[in-house]
Amino acid sequence: ARYFLAHSLKQQKKRDAALEQFQLLLEAVELAPPDRLTRWMPWKLRVGNELANQFYLEGDYLSSVSLYRALAKSNAEGQTRQAFQYQVGLCEERLGQVEEAIKTYQQIVDAPTTSSGGSNTNANAVPVQILRNMATLRISVLKTASRRDPAPRLPGAQP
């Protein structure tokens, strides 16, 4: 119910109210008994990702990175966490936090290759190796840009 309410509020451009519903959903999921946690986690990830993507597209990188970080720290499995970390890196780039973005991308590249579920894809259906390749490319672009210009204006990427 909180997912649909947050989604509805987001569509009505009531960002603060939508964000509040997401926070309530986060709290409910964190306090959920194990039998409910497995049912509620997908909703938490879905609403959080949708809100964070919307904030990113609107240029509200602070709200977006806050949500992506919360999602990356959630109980999501490792590969899903990596997808959210990648999005954190994109936000950090947009906020001009180049060194932080490089560190975030490097965590993706250095993460173990196995997952508890045995799956080779994350929540956004990006194969893990492609996600790692994208992170490696972003690191290379950021390092090259920072060598040429100490304060680079980097083109953004879609979440």
Side-chain angles (χ1 to χ4, degrees):
R2 291 214 184 273
Y3 166 78
F4 291 112
L5 179 56
H7 187 69
S8 175
L9 291 167
K10 182 184 78 165
Q11 294 299 322
Q12 296 172 31
K13 307 286 187 210
K14 296 180 180 179
R15 295 171 28 148
D16 291 340
L19 191 54
E20 180 181 343
Q21 289 303 314
F22 174 68
Q23 292 290 41
L24 291 171
L25 178 61
L26 275 177
E27 291 170 15
V29 171
E30 296 305 320
L31 298 173
D35 63 321
R36 289 189 185 163
L37 181 62
T38 55
R39 290 191 321 233
W40 290 358
M41 182 60 73
W43 292 106
K44 171 186 169 181
L45 298 177
R46 183 174 175 181
V47 71
N49 192 45
E50 286 180 11
L51 286 171
N53 288 348
Q54 185 64 38
F55 291 153
Y56 184 93
L57 293 173
E58 292 172 359
D60 184 356
Y61 305 117
L62 287 175
S63 295
S64 183
V65 76
S66 174
L67 286 173
Y68 287 135
R69 283 180 178 147
L71 291 166
K73 290 178 183 175
S74 71
N75 294 334
E77 63 108 30
Q79 295 168 350
T80 299
R81 192 171 23 258
Q82 289 176 358
F84 290 128
Q85 282 179 305
Y86 184 82
Q87 292 169 305
V88 166
L90 293 176
C91 292
E92 290 168 340
E93 283 186 55
R94 290 301 213 144
L95 291 168
Q97 301 169 348
V98 175
E99 291 301 317
E100 288 300 313
I102 291 171
K103 288 178 189 175
T104 299
Y105 293 135
Q106 193 62 52
Q107 289 173 352
I108 296 167
V109 172
D110 295 342
T113 56
T114 60
S115 73
S116 58
S119 170
N120 284 328
T121 60
N122 56 49
N124 294 329
V126 177
V128 173
Q129 190 55 49
I130 291 175
L131 186 64
R132 286 184 178 182
N133 291 346
M134 291 177 357
T136 301
L137 178 62
R138 295 307 307 156
I139 292 169
S140 176
V141 167
L142 291 172
K143 286 183 176 180
T144 300
S146 65
R147 279 193 295 264
R148 282 189 270 154
D149 181 6
R153 289 182 180 83
L154 301 166
Q158 294 293 325

